[in-house]
Structures are given as C-alpha cells and as structure tokens.
Amino acid sequence: MVDIITIDKIGEDERGATHYFNTDRTGQFIVAYRKTGSISGRHYHKGIAPTKNPEQLILMQGEATVNWFDTRTSIEGSLKVKAPARIHIQPWAWHEVIADTDIIILELNGLEDAKDDTFRIEK
C-alpha cells in the first residue's frame, strides 16, 4: 500500500549531492516544511483524483516515519524513510507522516486536487 522508491544520485562534490527523478505530473505542487515530531496526513484517498492514484510525495530533506493501514482489510505497516526518497501511497491507504527530524516534502499535487478525495477516519 505504501512504497518507498530511492532517488538516484547523479553525482556529488564539495557543494553537495545532485539527484534526479522523472514524473508525468504537472500543475501545482506543494512544498511542506515540517518540524520534528509533527504529524501530517491522518487521512486516506479513494483515488478519485488522478493525482491521488497513487499519492506521490518526495522527502527532500530529513527523516520520517510513514504509518499506514488498508481501510478495506485493516492490514497495516510502518516504514522509516530517509531523504531523498519518493513515497507512493495507494488509494484506500490511511496514512500519516511523522517527522523524525525537521523535514521538507514535495507533494506532487495541489490543494485543489485533494479537495474531493480526502477522507478522515479515526485509527
């Protein structure tokens, strides 16, 4: 229900590292800065919006824990993620992202994309 995909490194020198990824997504994206200990998400998507099927996040900086469960089967999991990495969240996966350090996330959709495809339930 949740996949972590490494982001390939092109090179590294005294300035730092350079990574790359491909996406077919266009339009508005979200850049989120989250403080250590903060929790984001705590919802699921049904995949009604194309940009939520799957939801795609890029952890640009820091470390996070992604907790999830399948709202249809109650199968659950937890993954530790270290930047840089892509996080793909499938429809029907309730999810939360806990910032283990200060993090920066690029979300490959805009706020309007999720307006009619975000559902909250208590876990």
Side-chain angles (χ1 to χ4, degrees), residues 44-121:
Y44 70 97
H45 310 285
K46 294 181 180 178
I48 299 165
T51 57
K52 294 296 183 179
N53 191 6
E55 180 171 10
Q56 295 184 29
L57 310 172
I58 299 177
L59 182 61
M60 305 288 290
Q61 183 174 322
E63 297 179 24
T65 300
V66 179
N67 296 318
W68 62 271
F69 77 90
D70 186 329
T71 58
R72 297 167 297 172
T73 67
S74 296
I75 295 171
E76 60 184 61
S78 182
L79 297 166
K80 294 282 190 181
V81 187
K82 184 176 180 179
R86 292 180 77 158
I87 304 165
H88 287 195
I89 303 167
Q90 296 301 320
W92 299 98
W94 178 95
H95 54 280
E96 66 182 3
V97 177
I98 301 172
D100 298 330
T101 65
D102 288 356
I103 60 175
I104 301 172
I105 290 180
L106 176 63
E107 191 169 335
L108 299 183
N109 59 263
L111 291 175
E112 285 296 310
D113 295 332
K115 187 173 75 173
D116 297 324
D117 193 9
T118 298
F119 304 90
R120 299 190 185 279
I121 58 173

